[in-house]
Amino acid sequence: MEKRTLKIVTFNARYMNSGDGEKDFMHRLPIILKTLRSRDPDVICFQEITMEMRRLLLRELPEWPLLGGGIWNDGSNETPCIGYRRERFMPTDVSSFWLSPTPDAPSGFGLDQSGCCRICISAAFQPLDGASAFRVFNTHTDHVGAMARLLGTGKILDRISAADSVRRLPLIITGDLNAEPDSPEIELIRSYTGHPVRDITSGVGPTFHGFGQLDREVKIDYIFTDLEPVSVEKWTDAENGLTLSDHYPVGAELWLPDAKA
């Protein structure tokens, strides 16, 4: 039987910010649309999507519905979300939870955390071509607090364990984790034995360039999975001096096993 693959990308799109001037999302939108259409990922794991960005993406890219809401219960503020090709996949078990002691309500850990609540979007996807279902967790952990990131990562692993206890599926963890590869937060995922995964993006180099304003570019964007990669690529597309975002998206093509009888 012919092997099937899944194309997925983690993409911090940089929230709408008029202070970005010519690099604001509205100026970058044409190259974002062009790139997504040409690369045609099956699943897009966005971070920093505001309600207005969501509206624009749904209007321009209706073939990718978006799962996930805002940071607050009214759907406002920027958020991670997951886009998927509607003609290829059926989403199930869709949920959102906050990285906090109260995962069902907007809050944070306090401690060293910024003023931003942090959230994770998860969903299982059933391919419509007979391949195995798989589960995705997409998040954006805190940009200030190392302890908040560590505790938030633990909450994600707890949810993975709970999901596995109901139905264990191939797993993909994506996101802007605001932590470099040698940090305790990343080691916590790497050493998790409940559902072992590996960072298939380890060879792509820096992913956060800050529109060229950083003293040192860093790797903080990840795809962890137990699926075997066909290829992994950092998206460095640019047009008329504009990059896709202040992050490089990272895409991967993964082998999907056949569904179990």
Side-chain angles (χ1 to χ4, degrees):
M1 184 175 293
E2 182 181 356
K3 287 187 175 180
R4 301 170 176 86
T5 63
L6 163 73
K7 292 164 63 177
I8 189 168
V9 62
T10 182
F11 185 180
N12 183 323
R14 174 66 177 174
Y15 68 94
M16 274 184 162
N17 184 345
S18 60
D20 287 341
E22 64 182 12
K23 297 179 176 63
D24 182 47
F25 177 78
M26 291 304 298
H27 296 290
R28 292 182 284 110
L29 183 58
I31 185 176
I32 290 173
L33 298 177
K34 178 180 178 180
T35 300
L36 289 173
R37 287 171 179 145
S38 65
R39 292 183 178 269
D40 192 26
D42 296 305
V43 176
I44 309 169
C45 295
F46 283 116
Q47 300 91 42
E48 294 196 19
I49 300 298
T50 65
M51 292 302 290
E52 178 63 11
M53 292 165 70
R54 183 191 185 98
R55 184 185 68 80
L56 290 167
L57 290 168
L58 288 172
R59 184 188 73 188
E60 298 294 336
L61 300 171
E63 57 268 47
W64 284 280
L66 295 175
L67 305 174
I71 294 295
W72 307 110
N73 279 334
D74 62 3
S76 64
N77 212 323
E78 57 84 17
T79 184
C81 56
I82 303 175
Y84 67 97
R85 274 292 205 168
R86 67 168 75 242
E87 77 280 11
R88 301 175 189 166
F89 303 92
M90 175 68 71
T92 63
D93 301 336
V94 180
S95 68
S96 301
F97 59 95
W98 282 265
L99 307 185
S100 80
T102 58
D104 296 322
S107 63
F109 283 105
L111 305 169
D112 58 349
Q113 187 164 348
S114 71
C116 302
C117 294
R118 297 294 178 170
I119 197 169
C120 182
I121 312 298
S122 70
F125 291 94
Q126 178 61 62
L128 302 180
D129 63 359
S132 171
F134 57 92
R135 198 181 306 277
V136 177
F137 283 76
N138 179 41
T139 194
H140 185 188
T141 55
D142 200 62
H143 65 294
V144 172
M147 183 56 68
R149 289 193 296 271
L150 190 64
L151 293 172
T153 300
K155 289 293 182 181
I156 294 170
L157 297 178
D158 288 344
R159 286 293 179 119
I160 291 170
S161 177
D164 280 347
S165 70
V166 177
R167 185 187 184 197
R168 189 179 178 93
L169 295 173
L171 174 64
I172 307 170
I173 306 170
T174 63
D176 171 4
L177 302 184
N178 274 310
E180 295 190 59
D182 60 351
S183 67
E185 307 93 283
I186 301 305
E187 179 58 27
L188 185 62
I189 301 173
R190 193 181 292 119
S191 62
Y192 178 62
T193 58
H195 195 137
V197 293
R198 64 189 179 98
D199 174 20
I200 63 169
T201 66
S202 60
V204 302
T207 61
F208 178 46
H209 57 81
F211 295 129
Q213 301 302 307
L214 300 180
D215 293 333
R216 180 177 68 90
E217 296 184 359
V218 294
K219 181 188 187 311
I220 57 175
D221 300 88
Y222 297 86
I223 302 173
F224 285 91
T225 186
D226 56 350
L227 292 168
E228 286 300 314
V230 179
S231 62
V232 182
E233 181 185 8
K234 183 166 62 177
W235 293 7
T236 58
D237 308 62
E239 194 169 273
N240 299 322
L242 285 177
T243 55
L244 294 165
S245 178
D246 58 343
H247 291 241
Y248 295 115
V250 183
E253 187 172 9
L254 308 170
W255 290 119
L256 278 180
D258 291 332
K260 294 181 179 179

